[in-house]
Amino acid sequence: MLAIVLGMLIVNCGVLFLRMHAFLALFFGALAVAAATTSLSVSQSVLHRATAGIAEIQGNEIVLTDIEEGLPKKPGAYYIASDPSFVQSKQEPVLVWVDRFEEEDEITKAYVARDLPTDMEVASARFVSQDTYREAKQLAGSSAINRVADSLGSTFGKIGILIAMASIIGQCLLSSGAAERIVYGIRHAMGERWTALAFVISSFVLAIPVFFDTVFFLMLPLAQAMAQRTGRDYLKYVLSIVVGGTLAHSLVPPTPGPLFVATELNVSIGAMILGGIGVGIWGVIAGYFYMLWANRTWQIPLRIEAQEAIAEEPNAESDLPSFGFSILPILIPIVLLGLKTVSQTALPASTNEYWNTAISFLGDKNIALSIGALLALATLFCKPAMTWVGLGKSVQKALSEGGVVVLITCAGGAFGEMIRQTNIGAVIAESLPSSVGGTGLLITAFMITAIIRVIQGSATVAMITAIGIVVPVAMQIGLPFHPVYLALAIGCGSKPLPWMNDSGFWVISRMSGFTEKETLKTFTVLLTIMGLVSFLATLVFAILFPLV
């Protein structure tokens, strides 16, 4: 526990007081946690989620109890019986060959090739596969910096390509004018009377591949233009951008936070997208009605300094690509990921083999996002006067910006993994009341994320940090519902109570021309309401539709 507190202090103090780059704060925090964690805790973090207890030994029969979810039951393989201290034990582990496993009347038995020693302490012994035992021993013997470096590389393998492709999609949509076309198209389809709702939908769609602050910069001139034309409702137009964009930032991949959380929980990207939209829409509805109430309650004018803050004017609609062409880089990846999710969960196993193969390939998260990036490049290449050199510069800019995000996310992944290696999951799970089940874990995950968010400000860092604490606990107590709900609870927890330590707070305040007090009573309250309502929707769906 002291190791985790030390790491949290380094991250929070580094970000808040030393103004350290998030990558450095997370990296040094991970290194501190790794150095302060004992090798015994490291080994137990691996073994405790992949072992079983030995209830009784009857000749060549081993009666297993307290079976962890991660224990592989593979007949014809070596297993190890050892005491609880595992790899640091002075007692030599007993290596046995398991011929087969049998389950009868909720009792699991392992039949071994030879009898176990009669003097073995059955009450304290654990049963684990040889591969897992070897992994735990090797990890416990690694240095702190090697464990951090390995975790950095492992995280990059999971999300590196996705973030790079998402950055290309976002940059190309902005440079080609496709992002503006999407906004104009949705607004024209809904009519000027529903401009605020059109802004909500547009910002939600754009925030899937584009970071929220970029979406805000893009759409704020449109909001200011509408306020200038009507002479009123400036607050409504600004908050409508926030209502749509901010929840997508925390709930819908491929933005880094939800992407990383889904990856750590082995939730498919398609399921996370569908789940994020499914619960996020309730937060958006609540935010929309709060936005209307706030606009009637407080009249915040369009101030001169806000107009001067925006250097670029929106492009003329005639210079923008078509709506159908503009939406493809976002729509196609979502469709492919959704098809793969449906194919794996809803379609019968007898479905055409070629169809399954094609959907499995095209619906792979890296392939789907790569196709989206190619389509986004096409929208930019078709822009008048665009050259190969200009195209290359746009890709270079996208990758340079995406590279920073990859570094931060990978450092966050290493920090989360180092927290897991302290074996905090087993400690928290044992301290929780036995009555705490999946719903209690959802509330715990939401609260942990919200607390970290309030302390250090960044929603993404809060999600990355919280997942390192929550995943081991989930493995210990088990989940009575699909893990996507746990991922969504963490995403919802990253929304409440943004204040002066959040960069997004200052983006909204300075670019919109709001005072700090105005930002607190509008933006801060809005995000808190949206996070809470989305979390309540997550709880309800988890209870009614567990999807086990």
Side-chain angles (χ1 to χ4, degrees):
M1 186 62 72
L2 289 177
I4 296 175
V5 172
L6 175 63
M8 295 284 289
L9 284 174
I10 290 174
V11 172
N12 291 321
C13 292
V15 172
L16 284 176
F17 303 114
L18 301 180
R19 300 299 178 187
M20 192 181 292
H21 192 279
F23 167 75
L24 292 177
L26 288 165
F27 173 76
F28 288 128
L31 194 58
V33 174
T37 304
T38 66
S39 57
L40 177 60
S41 294
V42 174
S43 64
Q44 288 181 333
S45 70
V46 177
L47 295 169
H48 268 309
R49 58 176 183 256
T51 67
I54 299 179
E56 186 180 359
I57 298 175
Q58 304 171 345
N60 71 333
E61 296 181 10
I62 303 177
V63 181
L64 302 178
T65 185
D66 187 23
I67 301 174
E68 299 293 346
E69 191 174 328
L71 176 70
K73 299 175 185 177
K74 297 180 180 178
Y78 278 110
Y79 284 75
I80 285 175
S82 176
D83 75 0
S85 58
F86 298 118
V87 297
Q88 287 195 337
S89 171
K90 294 181 180 179
Q91 174 187 332
E92 286 296 321
V94 178
L95 183 67
V96 295
W97 176 267
V98 176
D99 290 323
R100 68 185 190 278
F101 287 94
E102 287 187 4
E103 296 184 17
E104 183 177 351
D105 297 331
E106 299 184 355
I107 296 176
T108 301
K109 294 183 179 180
Y111 291 85
V112 300
R114 63 183 179 87
D115 295 350
L116 289 175
T118 56
D119 59 348
M120 188 170 185
E121 296 184 15
V122 174
S124 62
R126 302 292 294 180
F127 195 73
V128 60
S129 73
Q130 186 184 29
D131 291 341
T132 305
Y133 183 87
R134 188 184 294 118
E135 176 191 349
K137 193 168 185 177
Q138 183 178 3
L139 191 63
S142 299
S143 64
I145 186 61
N146 282 342
R147 286 187 278 124
V148 172
D150 288 344
S151 298
L152 278 165
S154 175
T155 306
F156 179 83
K158 296 175 182 176
I159 52 86
I161 295 175
L162 297 174
I163 292 179
M165 294 304 166
S167 298
I168 292 174
I169 293 173
Q171 180 61 43
C172 291
L173 290 181
L174 293 172
S175 300
S176 66
E180 287 180 65
R181 169 57 73 189
I182 292 172
V183 177
Y184 283 127
I186 294 176
R187 182 178 159 222
H188 288 328
M190 302 186 69
E192 188 165 321
R193 179 186 175 188
W194 300 101
T195 296
L197 184 57
F199 282 178
V200 171
I201 298 172
S202 300
S203 58
F204 188 90
V205 172
L206 291 175
I208 294 174
V210 182
F211 298 121
F212 169 69
D213 54 353
T214 307
V215 173
F216 189 77
F217 294 149
L218 167 73
M219 295 186 61
L220 186 57
L222 302 176
Q224 292 176 336
M226 285 299 302
Q228 283 180 324
R229 181 190 301 179
T230 61
R232 56 186 173 83
D233 294 337
Y234 179 53
L235 176 61
K236 180 173 73 172
Y237 293 129
V238 171
L239 292 186
S240 64
I241 302 172
V242 178
V243 167
T246 187
L247 270 184
H249 178 76
S250 292
L251 293 177
V252 184
T255 44
L259 173 63
F260 180 77
V261 169
T263 303
E264 289 297 290
L265 287 169
N266 293 320
V267 174
S268 71
I269 304 302
M272 189 66 185
I273 290 175
L274 295 175
I277 294 174
V279 303
I281 194 171
W282 297 101
V284 168
I285 292 172
Y288 183 78
F289 283 108
Y290 174 78
M291 172 196 76
L292 296 178
W293 176 85
N295 186 63
R296 289 195 301 268
T297 306
W298 302 297
Q299 295 300 318
I300 300 178
L302 172 61
R303 300 180 176 114
I304 296 176
E305 59 268 25
Q307 299 179 61
E308 294 175 347
I310 305 297
E312 297 182 4
E313 291 294 326
N315 293 314
E317 290 191 58
S318 58
D319 296 332
L320 303 177
S322 68
F323 180 82
F325 195 29
S326 300
I327 198 71
L328 281 180
I330 301 173
L331 184 62
I332 293 300
I334 292 176
V335 169
L336 291 175
L337 292 167
L339 281 175
K340 182 176 181 180
T341 301
V342 171
S343 177
Q344 291 177 338
T345 58
L347 296 182
S350 58
T351 307
N352 185 278
E353 180 182 350
Y354 296 106
W355 166 263
N356 286 335
T357 302
I359 290 300
S360 179
F361 174 75
L362 296 174
D364 177 85
K365 55 188 179 183
N366 293 312
I367 297 296
L369 266 292
S370 297
I371 293 173
L374 289 174
L375 292 170
L377 286 168
T379 66
L380 183 56
F381 189 70
C382 292
K383 186 178 181 180
M386 177 56 63
T387 64
W388 285 106
V389 174
L391 192 67
K393 288 181 178 179
S394 293
V395 173
Q396 183 177 354
K397 181 180 179 181
L399 293 180
S400 62
E401 293 176 353
V404 175
V405 178
V406 169
L407 282 175
I408 294 172
T409 310
C410 289
F415 183 58
E417 179 58 29
M418 294 309 103
I419 290 176
R420 278 195 288 275
Q421 289 181 9
T422 64
N423 204 31
I424 185 64
V427 175
I428 295 177
E430 290 171 3
S431 64
L432 290 174
S434 58
S435 59
V436 172
T439 303
L441 182 58
L442 288 181
I443 296 172
T444 302
F446 177 83
M447 293 300 297
I448 288 174
T449 312
I451 290 170
I452 297 172
R453 153 75 154 173
V454 172
I455 291 173
Q456 53 76 49
S458 169
T460 301
V461 172
M463 295 175 71
I464 290 173
T465 305
I467 194 67
I469 300 172
V470 172
V471 167
V473 181
M475 289 182 174
Q476 289 290 322
I477 69 176
L479 292 176
F481 42 69
H482 196 285
V484 70
Y485 292 118
L486 185 58
L488 295 173
I490 292 173
C492 296
S494 71
K495 291 293 96 182
L497 297 175
W499 59 296
M500 282 79 162
N501 64 351
D502 176 18
S503 61
F505 178 94
W506 295 109
V507 167
I508 302 298
S509 175
R510 290 294 176 260
M511 300 302 292
S512 303
F514 294 176
T515 65
E516 287 82 357
K517 182 178 179 180
E518 289 170 343
T519 310
L520 283 170
K521 68 184 182 181
T522 56
F523 171 71
T524 300
V525 176
L526 173 67
L527 259 65
T528 302
I529 290 173
M530 293 173 67
L532 288 170
V533 171
S534 296
F535 175 65
L536 290 176
T538 302
L539 276 178
V540 171
F541 283 125
I543 295 171
L544 298 180
F545 310 104
L547 304 177
V548 178

